[in-house]
Structure formats: C-alpha cells, structure tokens
Amino acid sequence: MEAHKMQKNSHEKDHVHTEGDGHDHDHSHDNTDKTVFQMFLPAIISLVLLLLGVALDNYIPTEWFKGWVRIVWYGAAYIPVGIPVLKEAFESITKGDVFSEFFLMGIATVGAFAIGQYPEGVAVMLFYAVGEVFQTMAVSRARGNIKSLLDQRPDEVTVMENNQPKTIKAKEAKIGDTIQLKPGEKLALDGELISDSASFNTAALTGESKPDTKNKNEAVLAGMINMNGIALVKITTAYEDSKLSKILEMVQNATSQKAPTELFIRKFAKIYTPIVVILAILICLLPYFFVSDYQFRDWLYRALVFLVISCPCALVISIPLGYFGGIGAASRNGILFKGSNFLDSIAEIKNVVMDKTGTMTEGVFKVQEVSITSEFNKDEILQMVNTLESKSTHPVATAIHEYVGNINHSIPLEDMEEIAGHGLKATVNGKELLVGNFKLMDKFNINYDLNPAHIVYTIIAIAYDKKFAGYITIADSIKADAKETVDKLHKMNVKATMLSGDKSTVVKFVAEQLGIDNAFGDLLPEDKVNKVKEIKAKNQTVAFVGDGVNDAPVVALSDVGIAMGGLGSDATIETADVVIQDDKPSKIPMAINIGKQTKKIVWQNIILAFVVKGIVLILGAGGLATMWEAVFADVGVALLAILNAVRIQRMNF
C-alpha cells in the first residue's frame, strides 16, 4: 500500500513542487513574479515590429524596405520572443532531451527564415510566446489557492516567559509553552486553550468562514485566527507535527502524484515528437523521387508547417493544468487531494463505504441512562469507570467524563489494556475491571441477564470482580448534512454502505434515518477490511470514509481512502488519499463531483487537440495549410485548452 502512504518531505519547504508545472521539459515558469505588462512586453515589441513590417511589405511600398534591411527588421521582431525559446531548446539538448517543443518551434521558425518567410517565422514564435504567457498566468492562478494555504503558517510566535511576552521563531517553540495570541493573529502550532473562551476564524483549515468559539481546555489548531480579545494557548504538538504542517506537506506532494492520463501524455510526447521530426524530413525529401516539378523550397515549407502543427504543447500544457486546477478548486473547498491520480480514481467510484461515529454522526456522545445493579455502589463503579476511560481517546470516554465529573486519581489502576473492538480492561484493588461492549463480557465469560439488542443506544457494559455490574447508554447525534450527503450520492448512482464497531441496532437505526443502502454493526477492524474486500471482489470501486485509528487498514485497502481531517486521527489522515478538513460528509459527493468535472475537462482537451491537429496535419502535408493555420492548430488549440482547463477554478461545486 505504499502508493497510499504520504511521502515524507522536509517541512522547511515553503514552495509548491509542481514539477515544471506539468511540462515534460522541466519548463518551470520562473517569471510568475513579474507584472502582466512585463510578461507581455517582449510579445508587444515583437508584435509592433511585425505589424510595421507587414504594412511596409504590402500597404506602404518603399524602396528602402528590401534586402538586408528587411531581414534585419524581421530579425529584430523575432529576437524578443525567439531568443528565450532557442535558449530553452539549447538547454534541453544539453540535458539530453533533443525533441522538446522548443526544438520544434526553433527549427520551424529558423527554417521559415531560411526560405525567406520572415513574417510567418516571427508570427509563429510570437503566438507561441503569447501562449506561454497565458499558460504561466493560468498556472499561477491555479497555484494561488495552494500558495495562500502555504502562507497560513506564521514564522514567529509570542510565548510567555515569567509572565512576560517574548517573540521567538515558531520552530523554536516547545510543547508545554504558552502562546499569547492577540486579536487578528494566527496560531502557528496546535494546542489547547487556557483562556476561558475564544472565537476563531477557521477558514484556512476548513474553508468555513463562520467563527468557531472554543472553550477552556478545547483543542485549537495551527492556522486558526483569533477574532477578539487576547487568548492564551498551551502548545501540545511540535511545529512540524501540527495538523497545518501535515496539510501543507500533503499539498506540496500532491502534484508529484500524477494521474494515469497525465503520465500517458508525457510518455506519448516523448515517442510522438521524434516521429513527427522524421515525418517532417520525409515530407521535405521524399517527394523528390515521385514529383516531376519538385521544388525543395515548397516542400521544406510544407515540412515546417507540419512541424508547427504537430507540436504537442496543447496536451503537455493543458492536461497537467486541468488536474492542477482540480486540486486547487478542491483545496479552496476544504478538500485535499494527495495527487491528481486520486482525482481520476474518485471520479470512477461506485460505492462509498463509511464509518458511523465522527463521519456521519457528530462523534459527540452524551450519557442517556446509567443502570448499576444493587450489588454494587453506583458512585464507586462510576468513579472506577471514569478513571479507566480517562486513559482512552474514544469519544465515549469524553461522554462518561462529562457525566461523572473529575477523575479520582487515587484509584489504583494496574495492568491496563485496550482490547481492539471490545473495550478496556484493568485491575483495581486486585480485582478485574472490564468496561466495553457485550463482546467484551462474552470474551471474559461474564454472565448478564439482559438482551443488548433491545436497547437502541450504544451500551457500555461494566463488569467488576468477574460479575456484571451494569451498563451506561450513550447516544450520538447525526450530522446536519448527513442525509443530504446520502441523497447526493444516490443521484450520482453511488451506493452508500455503513460499517461500524458500534452495536447493530444503533447502526441500523442511523442508516434508516439517512437512507443508507447497507449497514453493518458490531464489526472489529478486520471485519471492516473483509466487508470492503467483498465489495471489491465484485469488481466494484470503493471509497472508504473514516476518522479513527482503527480505520487506517481499511482506508489503505480501498481504491480511494477519505479521512475526516478535523476530528480524524493522524494515522488515518496519513494513510488517506483525500482529506476533508471540516469533517462535513457533504464534501464526499463534492469531492466525487470535482473528480468527474476534472476528468471531463481533461478529456475535452485531449479530443480537441487531436481532432484539430489531425485535420490541419492532413491539410499541411497536402500543401493546403499555411503557417497561419499551423499557428492556430498549435497555439490556438493550446490557448483554447488552457481556457477550458481554467474553467474548473470558476466552478461552484
């Protein structure tokens, strides 16, 4: 499952790895810091000289605009746009990549000059340069969402030392330090709130603009902005391990995971370009043996037209840009894809298998009923249960703690053990204490005189000194957008299945309320894995959505693993392919829709490029297309494809 694991990169990198922005020729757009005017300036100079030259050629006949003057004039028009491309072509050749798009453009335009077609040589390079500027602008726009994410992490923090504020580098802050956060300041590390309450803007992490009020001892995450009043936060996580650092790392690595279509186009371009060059040479030379009035100049012109048309830049630009736009659009909506390959995979999903607690329900439990047998002292049993549950991170433990109150640390807990899918076991005063589900009671041969199936709520069974001591019932509320999520999935012809370690009656009750197709409860982690294997055995694609540590194996097994990133455990977030930052299940159908729209745009671009190029190539080889048609087939198609790819960033999902 290595493909599902996040590649660990240095956290120090504050730039996005775009692998040359999708170009096959390491063509990085290092001019994104320039203004739009600076980017277009060489093209403007070239265009003015070209238009003046064409006017002097055709509309203002003059004696002096001939011979070497005309060559120098068009040469001057060519230089601003042509030299950077020829330089790139030379650099590509020195790196061993001879057949780059720059090489194709270079020989086509230099060849046009060689046969006296100066205006056309300039025009081809000019349009190509304009296309490159538009591409750079499109890429930097797509990158904008991601760069704004990378800017979310402050470099400095104000820590309290001897009740005095001191500004230090965020990386130097240690776990246990207290950060002072003024209104409008952004939190740099994960921690817990020491102040009684504070209001935070969480848009950087969740895409949600609504303020989130946190109370004392609640977790607050890096990237949150303090809205009003000074807040004090105790650091609980190292700088490089914060949720935000992990999110940034995912985004930085996202563009290195290529979609199959993208990888195919790269391989295709490497084979296609040399074939095109060979065909161009044959178009130029072969007719000599078959045509009676063979003119080398005419056939060279046709070969050069053929070269310009066949340049694959529309594909090598627009396809990565489409995927890049998809990743950017998703991140703007609080959905993080760890690679463009997962945009492709999620578009094909036919089954969404989901966990219940924390995914479709709030994961915030409240105690409904406490039933302790008369043989035991209710307060003593609850104090022991509260102390044992304090060692667990499960939401059930929080509910019990809220109900019982402060933990009695004087209770001597020994040999504490968590039994996966069952519950907790410990020794108290030399006697065995068991707290968990009824499978735990069965495992340790504890007799009880009730039928758990008759109780709808989640039941926490308790046994002490080998005897059944009673139970606590706990209920969880369904998330507001859970029903809407299932309805949207059904509209997309995607089946919804719920798998949970919770008792079957609870799982079935929740599933019925939401309209979920299949629901299974009382499952251990390995049972969830087996259920997903059953669906995959029918050759059906599966996305699994979960948030707990025990969901990591099944997230890794599924075609697309989706983690709830707000409440989710770090193990599940690292194993997942897609992370939903705000824990809203309605983002699941949104993620599928973004995948589908991205794939649609990518295939529109592939078909557009091949159809237009195919038609103009045939016309060019037959001498019916000039350099101007060639320019449209190359740069025109590339521009149309770029504009189409950029559409995804404007869509509302």
Side-chain angles (χ1 to χ4, degrees):
M1 278 298 149
E2 285 307 307
H4 286 74
K5 299 286 183 284
M6 187 169 66
Q7 301 296 307
K8 283 281 173 195
N9 265 11
S10 160
H11 295 275
E12 314 307 322
K13 291 176 287 188
D14 279 334
H15 60 280
V16 187
H17 296 291
T18 55
E19 292 212 351
D21 299 332
H23 267 252
D24 204 12
H25 319 297
D26 191 29
H27 182 204
S28 56
H29 296 275
D30 51 3
N31 53 353
T32 48
D33 295 334
K34 295 180 181 176
T35 64
V36 173
F37 177 73
Q38 285 172 322
M39 286 159 72
F40 276 109
L41 186 60
I44 293 167
I45 295 166
S46 182
L47 178 64
V48 169
L49 290 172
L50 174 64
L51 292 176
L52 280 171
V54 170
L56 289 166
D57 268 342
N58 301 296
Y59 305 110
I60 316 167
T62 51
E63 288 301 314
W64 59 270
F65 195 67
K66 287 178 181 161
W68 65 267
V69 175
R70 188 166 175 264
I71 296 168
V72 169
W73 186 282
Y74 283 116
Y78 181 84
I79 284 167
V81 287
I83 294 300
V85 175
L86 295 177
K87 187 167 155 254
E88 292 266 17
F90 177 74
E91 283 173 6
S92 293
I93 291 166
T94 56
K95 289 176 189 168
D97 182 10
V98 176
F99 298 106
S100 65
E101 65 193 72
F102 314 112
F103 175 72
L104 287 184
M105 281 294 154
I107 57 172
T109 52
V110 170
F113 264 76
I115 58 171
Q117 300 289 342
Y118 311 126
E120 290 176 344
V122 174
V124 168
M125 200 55 96
L126 170 63
F127 283 116
Y128 180 72
V130 170
E132 285 289 296
V133 174
F134 276 116
Q135 178 205 342
T136 303
M137 287 166 67
V139 167
S140 61
R141 182 186 166 83
R143 197 189 262 181
N145 296 316
I146 293 170
K147 272 204 168 165
S148 67
L149 252 183
L150 294 176
D151 294 337
Q152 297 302 341
R153 181 171 48 181
D155 294 325
E156 293 181 333
V157 290
T158 305
V159 294
M160 300 301 288
E161 277 189 13
N162 304 322
N163 287 329
Q164 291 298 316
K166 181 187 174 188
T167 303
I168 60 167
K169 290 259 182 260
K171 290 173 194 159
E172 293 167 10
K174 298 186 289 294
I175 293 172
D177 283 355
T178 299
I179 295 177
Q180 183 194 69
L181 209 59
K182 294 186 188 121
E185 277 190 336
K186 203 175 283 177
L187 189 57
L189 298 96
D190 295 354
E192 67 177 46
L193 192 64
I194 299 174
S195 309
D196 289 335
S197 73
S199 196
F200 291 93
N201 175 344
T202 63
L205 290 166
T206 65
E208 271 296 310
S209 54
K210 198 169 66 179
D212 188 3
T213 302
K214 299 285 183 187
N215 296 315
K216 190 170 184 171
N217 299 330
E218 280 196 298
V220 284
L221 303 176
M224 289 182 173
I225 300 168
N226 184 20
M227 302 279 281
N228 40 31
I230 288 177
L232 295 176
V233 175
K234 187 172 88 180
I235 300 170
T236 56
T237 313
Y239 181 75
E240 63 273 11
D241 294 329
S242 71
K243 273 265 176 21
L244 186 63
S245 289
K246 285 188 161 42
I247 287 166
L248 301 189
E249 191 175 332
M250 285 173 211
V251 173
Q252 284 172 205
N253 292 332
T255 45
S256 63
Q257 298 253 32
K258 302 294 177 194
T261 322
E262 211 170 338
L263 294 171
F264 165 74
I265 289 298
R266 290 191 155 200
K267 286 176 189 161
F268 168 81
K270 281 191 170 156
I271 301 161
Y272 166 86
T273 314
I275 291 170
V276 161
V277 173
I278 293 162
L279 285 174
I281 293 165
L282 292 175
I283 287 170
C284 178
L285 302 177
L286 212 57
Y288 174 78
F289 302 101
F290 302 101
V291 179
S292 54
D293 57 344
Y294 173 81
Q295 290 284 329
F296 174 75
R297 192 177 172 283
D298 291 348
W299 287 99
L300 177 60
Y301 182 73
R302 288 185 190 188
L304 296 174
V305 168
F306 182 85
L307 271 184
V308 174
I309 299 163
S310 57
C311 181
C313 55
L315 295 172
V316 296
I317 292 168
S318 66
I319 289 164
L321 186 60
Y323 285 113
F324 204 72
I327 290 172
S331 68
R332 197 176 66 240
N333 285 290
I335 304 165
L336 298 175
F337 280 86
K338 290 191 187 173
S340 49
N341 49 335
F342 303 121
L343 278 165
D344 264 9
S345 304
I346 206 165
E348 302 301 319
I349 290 300
K350 293 291 170 216
N351 291 274
V352 169
V353 178
M354 54 197 72
D355 183 35
K356 179 182 75 71
T357 309
T359 302
M360 302 307 278
T361 64
E362 294 288 355
V364 179
F365 289 86
K366 284 198 167 52
V367 170
Q368 305 295 314
E369 180 195 358
V370 176
S371 173
I372 303 295
T373 59
S374 55
E375 191 181 335
F376 294 93
N377 179 313
K378 182 178 174 181
D379 284 342
E380 276 182 21
I381 290 292
L382 287 177
Q383 288 291 337
M384 285 193 283
V385 169
N386 193 25
T387 307
L388 179 57
E389 285 286 357
S390 71
K391 308 296 179 190
S392 169
T393 56
H394 198 280
V396 163
T398 312
I400 291 170
H401 174 58
E402 278 185 6
Y403 179 81
V404 178
N406 291 334
I407 295 155
N408 184 349
H409 293 288
S410 64
I411 293 171
L413 279 185
E414 293 170 1
D415 305 328
M416 196 229 132
E417 184 187 346
E418 185 160 358
I419 301 163
H422 291 76
L424 300 167
K425 168 181 171 284
T427 305
V428 180
N429 299 323
K431 295 170 184 173
E432 187 180 71
L433 174 68
L434 299 170
V435 180
N437 52 29
F438 279 90
K439 282 188 284 186
L440 184 69
M441 302 295 112
D442 297 337
K443 187 179 174 77
F444 287 89
N445 301 314
I446 306 293
N447 295 317
Y448 47 89
D449 55 358
L450 73 130
N451 185 351
H454 290 157
I455 300 170
V456 171
Y457 296 135
T458 301
I459 311 177
I460 309 303
I462 306 158
Y464 185 57
D465 194 18
K466 305 285 184 190
K467 293 175 194 163
F468 182 67
Y471 63 87
I472 301 169
T473 63
I474 283 175
D476 185 9
S477 54
I478 292 169
K479 286 185 179 176
D481 57 343
K483 178 80 174 75
E484 171 201 343
T485 300
V486 178
D487 292 345
K488 282 184 178 172
L489 289 173
H490 285 153
K491 277 182 190 162
M492 293 175 167
N493 293 322
V494 176
K495 274 189 187 167
T497 303
M498 186 181 278
L499 304 180
S500 178
D502 211 340
K503 54 182 284 197
S504 293
T505 48
V506 179
V507 177
K508 291 221 161 36
F509 175 70
V510 171
E512 278 168 19
Q513 285 187 289
L514 299 179
I516 284 171
D517 302 288
N518 300 303
F520 304 93
D522 293 313
L523 300 176
L524 297 171
E526 55 267 33
D527 298 328
K528 289 184 184 180
V529 169
N530 291 332
K531 288 284 180 196
V532 169
K533 280 182 179 170
E534 279 173 32
I535 299 171
K536 289 193 79 171
K538 297 173 191 166
N539 285 330
Q540 293 189 345
T541 47
V542 182
F544 182 85
V545 192
D547 71 316
V549 178
N550 57 3
D551 291 328
V554 71
V555 162
L557 172 73
S558 56
D559 295 293
V560 178
I562 304 174
M564 290 294 182
L567 292 173
S569 78
D570 288 351
T572 307
I573 289 170
E574 290 209 10
T575 316
D577 311 311
V578 181
V579 178
I580 292 171
Q581 288 173 250
D582 58 4
D583 289 340
K584 284 190 174 177
S586 56
K587 295 288 173 76
I588 302 163
M590 188 189 281
I592 295 172
N593 191 21
I594 290 171
K596 284 181 185 292
Q597 294 300 331
T598 304
K599 201 165 184 186
K600 194 159 99 183
I601 280 173
V602 163
W603 277 103
Q604 283 170 354
N605 284 348
I606 290 172
I607 292 162
L608 170 77
F610 277 118
V611 169
V612 175
K613 280 182 183 290
I615 293 166
V616 185
L617 271 175
I618 294 162
L619 294 173
L624 300 171
T626 66
M627 277 277 184
W628 300 103
E629 281 90 356
V631 165
F632 172 74
D634 177 47
V635 180
V637 170
L639 281 176
L640 287 174
I642 288 167
L643 292 171
N644 192 34
V646 168
R647 266 194 322 130
I648 197 157
Q649 294 164 59
R650 296 179 177 274
M651 289 180 182
N652 291 320
F653 295 99

